[in-house]
Amino acid sequence: MVWGLAPFYWMAVTAFRDPAYTFDNTPWPTHVTLENFRDAFDTSRGNDFGMALVNSFVIASITTALALVIGIFAAYALARLTFKGQYLVAGLILSASMFPVVVLVTPLFQLFTNLGWIGQYQAMIIPNISFVLPMTVYILAAFFAELPWELEEAARIDGASKMQAFRLVMLPLAAPAVFTTAILAFIAAVNEYLLARLLSNGSTEPVTVAIARFSGNNPLVEPYAAIMAAGTIVTIPLVVMVLAFQRRIISGLTAGGVKS
């Protein structure tokens, strides 16, 4: 935990430190100021961090919602139905998660240029869905596979259709796994940088791109303190969210891991 959280702690300490003492190695806050946070939201230097936050939230939210809708149905079909080529489909979905993103940069850029999508939300949302969908299917399929078949059969005997049994019985039981998947997909979408750097523009760029492009008073000096403040604003809420919902996340990840 110390190894994982220490960089975030140092980032927060530097964010609250006077820019003149950015490279002070004192392990606790010194020369505390909020100037760096004001600089992070200052638009006079060409930075629009506030808009980048909105863009990241929009992109990550839509990506997560669409990935969940597609992933829930795909995972349920793979886990509960029997059809020809079932294992081949599962293997193809999982293999997509191991495909290097850098190989997709050039073809996606050319494709979206031809479609006139460069600088629009869909140019980042569609690739993000393809990146988080394998994880979504993997987690939910493992969970659906271990849910008791008797519950679904009982609903069918009571007159429910397959869709009603899925919607009213199986889906509510999968809430912990869905919640876990939503958090992980949202964080993955927020953290995406490579494609966003090439496919976005000043009005649609997410926080990962905006922070990388931060500029300060002196164009020859990197504004490290403002970058740390911006990183703190983005990261701390995600860390707090994960820590606050860690019980639900762990229960979702481990659900279905033991066969009863």
Side-chain angles (χ1 to χ4, degrees):
M1 185 178 66
V2 172
W3 180 267
L5 294 181
F8 298 115
Y9 170 78
W10 190 254
M11 177 176 63
V13 169
T14 306
F16 285 98
R17 188 171 282 160
D18 189 287
Y21 298 89
T22 298
F23 300 103
D24 187 350
N25 291 326
T26 307
W28 52 81
T30 58
H31 308 90
V32 177
T33 180
L34 296 178
E35 179 183 349
N36 299 322
F37 293 91
R38 290 192 293 268
D39 289 342
F41 286 97
D42 186 5
T43 59
S44 63
R45 304 187 183 103
N47 308 321
D48 198 346
F49 184 63
M51 179 58 69
L53 285 173
V54 174
N55 292 336
S56 282
F57 180 79
V58 171
I59 294 170
S61 297
I62 296 177
T63 298
T64 301
L66 293 178
L68 282 179
V69 171
I70 300 172
I72 287 173
F73 285 105
Y76 184 82
L78 290 173
R80 312 293 287 190
L81 305 179
T82 301
F83 56 91
K84 188 175 182 179
Q86 179 177 5
Y87 294 105
L88 176 61
V89 173
L92 290 175
I93 293 175
L94 293 178
S95 65
S97 63
M98 294 178 282
F99 204 82
V101 178
V102 68
V103 178
L104 302 175
V105 171
T106 300
L108 283 177
F109 182 81
Q110 184 63 55
L111 173 63
F112 293 149
T113 298
N114 296 338
L115 295 174
W117 285 5
I118 298 297
Q120 299 185 23
Y121 285 131
Q122 61 265 32
M124 290 163 282
I125 292 174
I126 293 176
N128 280 346
I129 293 175
S130 67
F131 299 150
V132 303
L133 192 56
M135 175 190 66
T136 302
V137 174
Y138 179 78
I139 295 176
L140 294 177
F143 185 85
F144 279 127
E146 297 302 328
L147 288 179
W149 286 89
E150 293 80 6
L151 295 175
E152 189 173 2
E153 292 173 353
R156 296 297 305 279
I157 292 174
D158 288 340
S161 64
K162 287 185 177 181
M163 180 58 68
Q164 289 175 327
F166 165 74
R167 180 171 57 88
L168 300 176
V169 178
M170 309 307 291
L171 190 56
L173 292 175
V178 172
F179 186 84
T180 299
T181 305
I183 292 179
L184 297 178
F186 186 88
I187 293 175
V190 169
N191 288 336
E192 202 286 318
Y193 170 77
L194 181 58
L195 289 177
R197 179 68 180 85
L198 297 174
L199 302 178
S200 65
N201 58 23
S203 61
T204 59
E205 65 182 16
V207 290
T208 51
V209 179
I211 293 175
R213 293 178 57 252
F214 258 31
S215 58
N217 291 323
N218 188 340
L220 300 179
V221 178
E222 193 77 12
Y224 292 109
I227 291 175
M228 292 295 184
T232 301
I233 294 172
V234 175
T235 305
I236 295 303
L238 296 177
V239 173
V240 171
M241 181 176 64
V242 171
L243 293 177
F245 296 107
Q246 60 176 325
R247 291 180 181 271
R248 297 292 299 273
I249 294 174
I250 294 173
S251 65
L253 289 174
T254 57
V258 178
K259 189 175 184 64
S260 58

